[in-house]
Structures are given as structure tokens and as C-alpha cells.
Amino acid sequence: MSKGLPKRSEDYSAWYNEIVKRADLAENSAVRGCMVIKPYGFAIWEKMQGALDDMFKATGHQNAYFPLFVPKSFLELEEEHAEGFAKECAVVTHYRLKNNPDGKGLIVDPEAKLEEELIVRPTSEAVIWNSYKGWIQSWRDLPILINQWANVVRWEMRTRLFLRTAEFLWQEGHTAHATEQEAIEEAERMLGVYAEFAENWMAMPVIQGVKTPSERFAGAVETYCIEALMQDGKALQSGTSHFLGQNFAKSFDVKFVNKDNELEYPWATSWGVSTRLMGALVMAHSDDQGLVLPPKLAPIQVVIVPIYRAEEDLAQITAKVDPVINELRLLGISVKFDDDDKYKPGYKFAEYELKGVPVRLAIGMRDLENGTIEIARRDTLTKESRSIDGIAEYIRNLLDEIQQNIYDQALKFRDENTYIADSWDEFKELIDKGFVLAHWDGSAETEEKIKAETKATIRCIPLNSVEEAGEDVYSGKPSAKRVVFAKAY
RNA sequence: CGGGGCGUAGCACAGCCUGGUAGUGCGCUCGGUUUGGGACCGAGAGGUCGGAUGUUCGAAUCAUCUCGCCCCGACCA
């Protein structure tokens, strides 16, 4: 029993907020809309970063870093892009403060006004393409495959920990290519990387697809995305990859000489995932006891709780588990031995469940006599007593099994909450429950009307969708395939 | 940015209506007993009641203004 954690079924939103805070992932800061990511939460993010970074490197990308500030004149060069972000930009107008001549404190020095305002980056296409102008002259300079880990700011009216904050951490890949085909392949490749990460590391099944024009990234020709289903039946866009065409190259006047000695504009992509994935991770797997972490992303994979009365007992237990700890670490498994005497075992059990530690071992004097150890799984909340001999190997396999089970559970949930709607009545009835596959006539007008009536949006047109003649669920006009509708975060 | 709510100890809240000694639980400190699912007893520490102004002999309490946060909408990764 967790004390005071709201139940998912009663108040999903409160449940989410409480888990994030109680599991020590993050908290609201004194700065409006900005969160503090706490050590335990940041450790999970670092694991995500590590896995993603390896995958980026394995696909030929290098990391670099570009400025936090974007001169306003850069941002406005790509018109659609500028329009898309204009409403949510933080703007730096001055570079100095001074003592308030009328009293205490500081005021902005009116004489320190910048000649040109600087925008705190909401995304970095503009600064990066300004740099690429100097980097690209010949087809031999291409492709450019760059990623940056950074923070960005989007002045959101309403924020929620991890899911939507005014400042967030992310990675943004920005590539330039000699041909359209190559850039499209890159955008699709990185979407695949995201899907693989979501499924193999986060244990979260995703649908890969493309956005409709109205949901596209500002300045993109095509936006690819992965969409995941959360436990309350709402969709969460978990990563995007954009084919930017030649829009940015043209806006920033970046050209290269091709093999035929002709001037051409390079083709671009950009792609990103953010700390929003932390929110996805919480909402995809956790339960009323707290967080459930997939072993591959858990900062602590195994926790050992000793149960003892006297100091001598603890010494005996420690002597018994030390070799096990070493063995587990040699297998690359992260272990915490919690011999802190501040809390009793029951408290610790509840605490590690709240924090989502995949495997918990408990060992007391009874076990020492029997040569056993108690092993508890976070995903199933089951426990069993096993011989301590060979326990490390058993745990290694168990962690794999838990990773798989968490994925299987999430996939089962998604399958059970994915519906087919062939009439408007069906659609309206099902749309609160999860993904709804329905025919769409391809018009922005119909898309907009459906959104206005139900708050549901087209999450994506799945890449693997099959051609199937049908009628639009709303307008009745002909349609060639089904798209995925859902209410979204 | 519209609608609603809330600011009182580290956290969660009561007290406010009907003005008069600032409280409860958790947490914290110390001592002791405990330890196989969130232990217990005893003793302590901790507050400019978000801020400003006003009414009053007297304001956490009433009034006006202001700042901040949360929730629900519109906008969005």
C-alpha cells in the first residue's frame, strides 16, 4: 500500500503528478513553468541519453553545440518556421541591469538595449543553418550529420512536469544532404531509431507514421512521428523527424556545387526527442504503487534490503551478500545495498516500489540459515524465495524477462485499446478509449471539424497502413486508407 | 489569455464566517525500545500567517490593491 498515491482509475492526472514528485523524478521550480529535474529523474534521463547517443553515433552522427540565442533576423528568414514559433518565444532585449536609483533592488538598464533582440532558441534550425552556410560549398562537404544535446524554451501557457514545460532538455539532429532521396532516407532512418529506442529501451510500443499537413512542423515538407498510447487512452507524440526539403537552404542561402559543377540547394532533415519521454515512461507502465521502470533504463536495477536486529546480524548478512553484489556488478547490473538503519524494511519495500526498481532482494537471518534470499519483481509485484546459489545469473535473466514483460503488457494494452470505427457514432463512442482507426478523406477541413467536435486529432497516417477503399467516417467522402485518431497530450 | 481555486512551520492542512495567547499530522533533533510490508514512547526545535495599504484599541481573520502557484478551457513537443 502506498500512502496517499491517487489511483489511476480515479484521477489519472493527479496520479501522474504525484508519481513524478514522490518518486523524486522532478518538482516544480520557483520559475514559472520550469521544472527541477532531481537526481533520480536525471539518472533515468542520462540512461536515455546514453542509449540514444550510441544509436546516433552508430548511424554516423557527431555531436556539436550551437548558441542558446537566435538573433531575431535569423528566425524570421524561414517564414513558416517563424510564424509557427513566434507566439511562444522568450526574447532578450537588454544586456545589463543596474541598481534601482529610486530604491532597493535592480532594474533593467534602459541604456543597455540590444540593437537586435535575441530569441532564446525554441529550436535550432535557424542558428544551425546560418552556420551551415559557411560549412557547405561542394558536394564533397555533404552529408553533414550533426546532433546537439541542448535545452530549448517555448513559452507555454500551461505546463505539466515533463510533458510540457517552458524549458526542456532534448536532442536535435540537423542534417544536410546532396539529394532529396538521401534526406528522406535520413528522416526515415532516424524515425526508425526513435521507434527502436522506444520499444527496446523504454518498452513502449509506438506507431510510426507521418503527420497531416496541419500537424506538420513549421517549415517542414514532411513530419514523421512516433505515437504511443498512454494508460488513460490518450496519445503522446514521443518523437518527431522532419524532412525539411530545401526550405532552410533557400532561406539561409546555402548552396553547393554538385558533381556536374552546377549550384544546388542541399536537402535537410531535423529530428528530436525530449524530456517528454520521461513523462511517456511514467504514463506507459506505472501503477497505483508507483513507478515501473524497464530494467534497461532503471538507475538501480536491483536493490538489496537486509533484515536484521543486531549489528552482528547485519555483519553476517553483509558478508553473505557481498559476493552476490560483486557478481551482479560483473554482469553489468547496477545494485544498491540499502543498509541504512533509518528506515525499517517495510518502509524500504514501499519506497523502492514507488521508485520502480525492477528487482528487490530481501535477506534476513532466516535466509542465512536456509541459504535462501527473497526476490521480488516490481512489474508483477510477486515474490519468491530462492537459493542464493546462482542468484546473480538468475537475476540477469529475470531482468531480461521483466523488460520483455513490461513491453508485452504495454503492447497488450495498446492492442486492446485500438479500435476500428466505420461510422460517426462509433467514432464518437470509441474516441475516449484509445486509438481509433478510421477513414479520412484527406481534407484539412474534415480534420478540423472532427477536432472541433471531439477534441481528437489525427495522430498520424501510419507508415505500414494498408490500402483499403472506404468512406470518411465524418464526411462520407472516399478514402484510400485508415488513419490513427486519438485525443492527445 | 478567459473561468475557478489556493497562498498559515520543510511538507500536507485546520483556524478566517462571528477580529482578542498561531494550532494538528507527517517530517526534523535528542534519548530509549524496535526491525520478514510504510514501528513506538518520551523530550525538544521550528512561524515577519505571500506582499502592500486601509478599517480598528487590537488583523492570519474584515476591505482594497498587488504578486505567485495550482486546476479547467483556448494554444502547443
Side-chain angles (χ1 to χ4, degrees), chain A residues 243-255:
Chain A
F243 168 57
L244 301 173
Q246 294 171 307
N247 294 346
F248 284 88
K250 286 177 179 167
S251 300
F252 287 83
D253 192 34
V254 182
K255 291 178 210 160

Side-chain angles (χ1 to χ4, degrees), chain A residues 136-197:
Chain A
I136 298 171
Q137 278 91 41
S138 152
W139 65 273
R140 294 175 201 277
D141 297 325
L142 298 171
I144 290 182
L145 303 173
I146 296 251
N147 174 65
Q148 94 165 341
W149 290 96
N151 58 340
V152 288
V153 168
R154 297 181 189 176
W155 211 261
E156 300 291 348
M157 287 303 162
R158 200 171 150 211
T159 59
R160 291 192 70 190
L161 292 170
F162 289 121
L163 298 175
R164 174 160 295 105
T165 46
E167 179 194 15
F168 56 94
L169 305 184
W170 76 344
Q171 58 69 218
E172 44 180 330
H174 295 273
T175 69
H177 305 264
T179 67
E180 176 177 24
Q181 182 58 28
E182 196 184 304
I184 291 173
E185 280 168 14
E186 166 76 2
E188 292 180 352
R189 178 181 308 116
M190 298 322 287
L191 185 77
V193 164
Y194 289 155
E196 188 190 332
F197 175 75

Side-chain angles (χ1 to χ4, degrees), chain A residues 9-227:
Chain A
S9 53
E10 287 169 11
D11 190 342
Y12 193 82
S13 182
W15 167 82
Y16 172 81
N17 286 332
E18 279 300 301
I19 286 198
V20 169
K21 287 179 199 159
R22 299 266 298 274
D24 259 339
L25 303 183
E27 63 187 23
N28 282 308
S29 74
V31 184
R32 182 198 176 91
C34 297
M35 65 180 162
V36 173
I37 304 176
K38 297 184 75 178
Y40 190 65
F42 203 80
I44 299 171
W45 175 241
E46 284 179 319
K47 289 219 135 193
M48 289 184 170
Q49 283 185 300
L52 284 164
D53 204 61
D54 286 347
M55 291 165 105
F56 299 155
K57 303 267 169 67
T59 43
H61 303 86
Q62 292 180 295
N63 286 330
Y65 188 77
F66 294 85
L68 170 67
F69 302 116
V70 186
K72 185 163 75 74
S73 58
F74 288 15
L75 195 69
E76 64 200 11
L77 283 175
E78 215 293 331
E79 258 181 65
E80 248 182 68
H81 185 67
E83 201 190 316
F85 285 102
K87 302 184 299 293
E88 48 186 16
C89 287
V91 185
V92 180
T93 56
H94 293 73
Y95 60 86
R96 194 166 62 207
L97 301 171
K98 64 175 190 180
N99 289 323
N100 187 349
D102 300 330
K104 279 188 289 186
L106 296 167
I107 59 164
V108 173
D109 185 345
E111 287 174 24
K113 192 168 175 0
L114 290 171
E115 265 181 47
E116 179 182 0
E117 295 88 346
L118 295 173
I119 315 302
V120 180
R121 63 181 166 215
T123 179
S124 300
E125 277 78 4
V127 242
I128 288 179
W129 276 85
N130 176 265
S131 292
Y132 282 181
K133 182 173 168 58
W135 296 6
I136 298 171
Q137 278 91 41
S138 152
W139 65 273
R140 294 175 201 277
D141 297 325
L142 298 171
I144 290 182
L145 303 173
I146 296 251
N147 174 65
Q148 94 165 341
W149 290 96
N151 58 340
V152 288
V153 168
R154 297 181 189 176
W155 211 261
E156 300 291 348
M157 287 303 162
R158 200 171 150 211
T159 59
R160 291 192 70 190
L161 292 170
F162 289 121
L163 298 175
R164 174 160 295 105
T165 46
E167 179 194 15
F168 56 94
L169 305 184
W170 76 344
Q171 58 69 218
E172 44 180 330
H174 295 273
T175 69
H177 305 264
T179 67
E180 176 177 24
Q181 182 58 28
E182 196 184 304
I184 291 173
E185 280 168 14
E186 166 76 2
E188 292 180 352
R189 178 181 308 116
M190 298 322 287
L191 185 77
V193 164
Y194 289 155
E196 188 190 332
F197 175 75
E199 299 191 338
N200 292 348
W201 290 78
M202 296 177 68
M204 181 176 78
V206 292
I207 295 180
Q208 302 182 48
V210 296
K211 287 292 185 191
T212 62
S214 63
E215 297 272 334
R216 226 172 248 157
F217 176 76
V221 174
E222 187 85 275
T223 288
Y224 299 83
C225 64
I226 52 172
E227 292 284 331

Side-chain angles (χ1 to χ4, degrees), chain A residues 216-459:
Chain A
R216 226 172 248 157
F217 176 76
V221 174
E222 187 85 275
T223 288
Y224 299 83
C225 64
I226 52 172
E227 292 284 331
L229 186 65
M230 302 294 105
Q231 293 183 67
D232 61 347
K234 287 169 82 174
L236 185 75
Q237 178 176 304
S238 305
T240 48
S241 179
H242 315 290
F243 168 57
L244 301 173
Q246 294 171 307
N247 294 346
F248 284 88
K250 286 177 179 167
S251 300
F252 287 83
D253 192 34
V254 182
K255 291 178 210 160
F256 72 99
V257 180
N258 68 17
K259 290 180 186 175
D260 300 323
N261 198 32
E262 295 160 345
L263 270 182
E264 271 193 72
Y265 291 109
W267 303 79
T269 79
S270 69
W271 28 274
V273 294
S274 71
T275 36
R276 180 177 243 206
L277 289 180
M278 295 285 295
L281 192 64
V282 173
M283 290 199 294
H285 306 307
S286 301
D287 60 24
D288 289 346
Q289 316 303 316
L291 200 58
V292 175
L293 290 174
K296 284 187 181 179
L297 294 176
I300 302 167
Q301 293 171 307
V302 177
V303 65
I304 304 176
V305 178
I307 299 159
Y308 62 97
R309 288 166 206 268
E311 283 300 314
E312 309 87 75
D313 297 349
L314 177 60
Q316 278 189 55
I317 291 169
T318 305
K320 188 71 181 176
V321 296
D322 266 346
V324 175
I325 293 171
N326 285 332
E327 224 181 315
L328 286 168
R329 290 192 175 142
L330 284 173
L331 293 172
I333 295 166
S334 64
V335 190
K336 176 176 177 182
F337 180 54
D338 186 357
D339 60 353
D340 188 339
D341 68 352
K342 183 175 167 183
Y343 299 110
K344 290 178 54 172
Y347 182 93
K348 292 177 182 175
F349 294 168
E351 193 63 20
Y352 290 113
E353 272 163 19
L354 183 61
K355 291 193 152 194
V357 175
V359 171
R360 182 186 74 233
L361 302 177
I363 180 164
M365 299 314 284
R366 214 158 66 205
D367 291 298
L368 288 190
E369 284 167 25
N370 301 334
T372 56
I373 194 160
E374 185 186 83
I375 178 160
R377 289 174 64 152
R378 177 61 184 90
D379 59 334
T380 56
L381 290 168
T382 53
K383 49 188 182 181
E384 58 172 335
S385 193
R386 289 192 71 85
S387 165
I388 199 164
D389 295 326
I391 198 72
E393 190 63 30
Y394 177 80
I395 288 170
R396 180 169 69 171
N397 294 330
L398 182 61
L399 287 170
D400 290 342
E401 191 185 325
I402 292 172
Q403 179 83 28
Q404 185 64 43
N405 181 52
I406 293 176
Y407 176 81
D408 290 345
Q409 290 302 313
L411 183 61
K412 180 164 172 266
F413 177 85
R414 191 187 72 181
D415 288 346
E416 286 173 356
N417 291 282
T418 299
Y419 304 91
I420 288 180
D422 286 317
S423 71
W424 184 235
D425 282 343
E426 274 180 349
F427 184 94
K428 282 188 291 191
E429 191 193 318
L430 295 168
I431 196 62
D432 283 316
K433 298 180 178 174
F435 284 145
V436 174
L437 308 178
H439 279 283
W440 171 53
D441 64 19
S443 75
E445 193 192 347
T446 302
E447 188 183 7
E448 180 54 40
K449 282 181 177 164
I450 291 175
K451 186 179 177 183
E453 283 194 36
T454 65
K455 291 177 187 161
T457 50
I458 298 176
R459 300 319 303 153

